[in-house]
Amino acid sequence: MNLKKALPLALALSLAIGANAAAQAETVHVFVLAGQSNMVGRDATPFSFDENPSVLNYTDGRAGSPLNQIEIAKDPLRHDKDGVTYGTNAGRPFAEEIIKTLPEGDKILLVNRAWGGTDISEWRRGHGPKGYSPDSGYNLPVNPYMTTVEAARSALEAVKETGRDVSLDGILWIQGESDVDHLTCPIMYEAAVVDVLTNLRSDLNAPELPIVIGEFYQDYGGEAGRLILNTLPKIAKRLNAGLASSEGAEVLKDGVHMTTASHEALGRRMAEEYLKLTAVK
């Protein structure tokens, strides 16, 4: 018998979060991860650190993983499409830095619903599902925006069911390579990203929710890539968001997906930006 599947949901969550009486007063801090494939991760090389029972993941129900279950975070956090190599992303390194700043016993829950190959138009609130096509691994069976919103809401409710305090603490966003490929107008790109992330805050009932944007690989896409990267500081300013540089990052042979070591560095930088945003003035 698969014990994990046989356990009632609330009990399974309690086991992942920590079932001792003292934990009842401790807080689970939820972070939403969204964007495209560099927020999913494609390098299967392990990180240089071990799994941490204080860093949890909300599973996505794909590639044989359970759906909407809280587990100790281990890579891959996210399975976005069939037939690809799933790997590491900046989420766990980010969490490893943030957990050091939280009260003893608190935990972090990562909710990753990023989707490879998505341009910013596919992240519009009203974007409809395309459905899979045999000749395109990038077609989506769902609306990625609503998938993200619904998963975040579900994660918050799942923690509440265990009796723990829960706090929605931020959004981590890495996206833009597809818009480089499509030669999206930088002005239109800026407006669209601001719209998507503003709507995410609104639909999660958190209009001031901290956002940290991570750069994609700086050498991707030549001049077109630089044009999109140059919009990110403007986007961050409009959203009062943090912006983490990918300077020095290396990529896999495909020329786009960052290595595990690069995600480790980017995750730490995203944590630094988050702590600046949330520092008591």
Side-chain angles (χ1 to χ4, degrees), residues 9-231:
L9 177 60
L11 177 56
L13 299 184
S14 293
L15 291 174
I17 294 174
N20 63 75
Q24 297 294 331
E26 294 155 0
T27 300
V28 178
H29 303 263
V30 175
F31 288 89
V32 177
L33 283 56
Q36 61 179 108
S37 56
N38 268 310
M39 191 76 261
V40 177
R42 294 290 189 251
D43 186 356
T45 306
F47 281 122
S48 63
F49 53 87
D50 296 329
E51 295 166 19
N52 184 340
S54 293
V55 177
L56 309 171
N57 185 47
Y58 199 57
T59 58
D60 60 16
R62 294 178 55 81
S65 71
L67 174 64
N68 293 352
Q69 183 166 293
I70 297 176
E71 298 182 338
I72 294 174
K74 54 184 180 296
D75 297 302
L77 299 179
R78 171 76 171 128
H79 308 82
D80 60 331
K81 297 184 299 180
D82 298 330
V84 299
T85 299
Y86 304 116
T88 59
N89 61 57
R92 282 183 62 214
F94 170 88
E96 288 292 333
E97 294 301 312
I98 299 301
I99 200 70
K100 298 172 187 176
T101 71
L102 299 177
E104 185 177 357
D106 280 16
K107 298 184 187 297
I108 288 174
L109 176 59
L110 303 173
V111 182
N112 190 332
R113 293 299 183 270
W115 214 298
T118 47
D119 61 45
I120 196 59
S121 70
E122 293 175 294
W123 278 90
R124 288 182 293 114
R125 178 192 271 155
H127 180 79
K130 288 183 175 180
Y132 282 120
S133 171
D135 59 354
S136 177
Y138 289 92
N139 282 357
L140 304 180
V142 295
N143 177 324
Y145 177 91
M146 288 311 303
T147 297
T148 300
V149 170
E150 290 166 3
R153 291 172 177 169
S154 175
L156 292 168
E157 289 302 314
V159 175
K160 290 176 184 177
E161 288 178 5
T162 70
R164 272 72 177 174
D165 291 333
V166 64
S167 174
L168 177 61
D169 281 11
I171 296 170
L172 307 183
W173 174 265
I174 303 175
Q175 191 275 338
E177 299 95 325
S178 289
D179 291 279
V180 171
D181 295 343
H182 299 164
L183 299 178
T184 303
C185 168
I187 295 173
M188 294 177 64
Y189 180 77
E190 176 186 338
V193 175
V194 169
D195 187 56
V196 167
L197 294 178
T198 299
N199 285 339
L200 270 177
R201 281 172 163 168
S202 176
D203 287 338
L204 293 173
N205 297 315
E208 303 299 323
L209 186 64
I211 296 171
V212 179
I213 298 167
E215 288 184 335
F216 55 85
Y217 177 53
Q218 286 190 347
D219 290 337
Y220 181 72
E223 180 61 24
R226 287 188 288 275
L227 289 173
I228 293 296
L229 283 169
N230 287 342
T231 67

